[in-house]
Amino acid sequence: MNRKRGIGVSLVASASLAVAMVLPANTAVAAPAAQPAPAAVAAAAADAVAAVGTGLAKGPDQAFDRVGFYPGGGGLFYSAYERSYHDLVVVGGDAVVVTDGLGNLRDTVTADTTPIALDTTAKLSPEAAAAIASKQLPTVNSVNQRLVVLAGATPALAYEVVLAGATAEHESNLHVFVDANTGAVLDSWDDVKAGTGNSFYNGNPVTITTQRNSATSFSMIDPTRPGVRCTNTSGTTFTGPDDNWGNGSGTSLETGCVDALYAAQRMWDMMRTWLGRTGVSTSGTGFPARVGLTQANAFWNGSSATFGRSSDGQRQVTPMDVVAHEFGHGVFQFTPGGSGGGGNEKGGLNESTGDIFGAITEAFANNPNDPADFQVGEEVNLVGNGPIRFMYQPSLRSGHPNCFSSAIPNTEVHAAAGPQNHWFYLVARGSNPAGGPASPTCNGTTVTGIGVQAAAQIFYNGLLRKVSAWTHARARVATLQAARALFPNGCTEFNTVRAAWSAVSVPAQAGEPTC
């Protein structure tokens, strides 16, 4: 058998917040075990902040409800909140409250929106909104909708219409926001982000964790990582009479599943070991990988990752960095601020997040068959012209900028991944690392890297401060705050993060931290 299974300001002292936090009195503490766990104290403290609006832009008739809680590094905890107005969800009005295990408020981050004051009675019917939205998608299989407030410079009452269907190229789960009074389409985004077995990419044999159903029945389900499995595009899990999978051929779907499971399991282990995160979702689960798409593509649809084949039909699109890229979209979705909205700039940061998770998974796996080379999709050669993207010098792919500029918000999202990809490489490896490749900076400076693991931890803890209106400027501030929290005993990491952002032309921001 070729593989086997198994193998700041203290909220405690604030009278106005005391009702939201019940802490043991000093005289009542019987033993250390009776103390609330740091996570519970941090969550209660964050809820106290949200209840009274301390540090948050909270207007009349509004409330904040906690929708996510994320332990981070440096003893910090991140609570994500959804805003409501007259009991309607405010899309784009979210916030993150940062607390520590002692109940101290460390920071608040809010999405930008002007004050909300509007009538919540819709003039447009739900049926009319659905008909307007349905024109945005060629094939519509189902429609769901809800009345919301769409935040921003001009808040509006809107229907969020979710269309499940397909474009001409791939499946779609399109969110369309229709003005509930005028019928105008205000915004839209798609959840679909296109973009021991015998392995094709990772060496033979490789060890993957699968499930034994009986003495003569096995399935490509990981019983130790909830939600992780490999299926065909119809959702049927691969099964077999023994625990030996694939034949090492690039045209075999079962072999593609070997590579997909191997990559998903290495990414899970990386997140648990390096980032302190369990699973892709907020609830600590993973998602299925589906193979057999008959297109030269791969995509994340909000609840699974689907993988196609190279344009010549000879290879499945399941190398480690591509698999981790797609599930990296899941991490972006299941961190504060989600993946919707924000236009092409946020879309580019989402694509870059996928690329970064691909690179750090390769580094963690340390597999000589697919080393951490900071190229994206180099193994699959998707359309016959080499890597899809180059993180150390994005401009090696035509139309992909090395540097941030005012053009990024109008740049196609995969190309817009360039500046943050470039930043991450500089933080991890530097501008002139031993063994190369060199990474030319936009301002001519030299940056010394701090290593992939430290860079990954800073990047991920920056994501825990994400809000729906995510930009490169916000990412700069968030990662500087993360560097200071994770590495409090020196300035090396902080200075590298700051220098790398400046080196890709993301300038210093008002109020950003110092070291």
Side-chain angles (χ1 to χ4, degrees), residues 145-292:
Q145 59 199 3
R146 63 175 179 170
L147 194 63
V148 300
V149 174
L150 187 62
T154 307
L157 186 69
Y159 287 101
E160 180 183 12
V161 184
V162 183
L163 307 171
T167 68
E169 292 79 27
H170 54 72
E171 68 179 66
S172 176
N173 198 51
L174 185 66
H175 297 245
V176 182
F177 292 85
V178 179
D179 191 298
N181 293 314
T182 69
V185 175
L186 302 175
D187 197 5
S188 65
W189 67 72
D190 202 325
D191 288 330
V192 176
K193 308 301 179 184
T196 34
N198 296 297
S199 160
F200 182 75
Y201 295 107
N202 297 300
N204 288 310
V206 294
T207 298
I208 57 176
T209 303
T210 56
Q211 179 169 289
R212 177 174 177 165
N213 307 314
S214 70
T216 58
S217 175
F218 296 80
S219 58
M220 298 191 89
I221 296 172
D222 186 339
T224 67
R225 300 172 180 88
V228 175
R229 65 176 63 206
C230 194
T231 77
N232 61 21
T233 54
S234 298
T236 302
T237 301
F238 282 81
T239 60
D242 57 37
D243 208 16
N244 187 14
W245 305 94
N247 59 11
S249 168
T251 59
S252 163
L253 294 185
E254 190 172 287
T255 297
C257 261
V258 171
D259 285 315
L261 271 186
Y262 176 83
Q265 291 169 358
R266 298 294 75 70
M267 178 178 169
W268 182 293
D269 294 347
M270 177 277 295
M271 291 193 295
R272 180 177 55 201
T273 304
W274 283 4
L275 307 181
R277 183 184 180 99
T278 301
V280 171
S281 77
T282 310
S283 58
T285 61
F287 294 94
R290 304 188 303 173
V291 300

Side-chain angles (χ1 to χ4, degrees), residues 117-130:
L118 48 79
D119 187 350
T120 57
T121 303
K123 296 179 181 178
L124 194 72
S125 71
E127 294 77 15

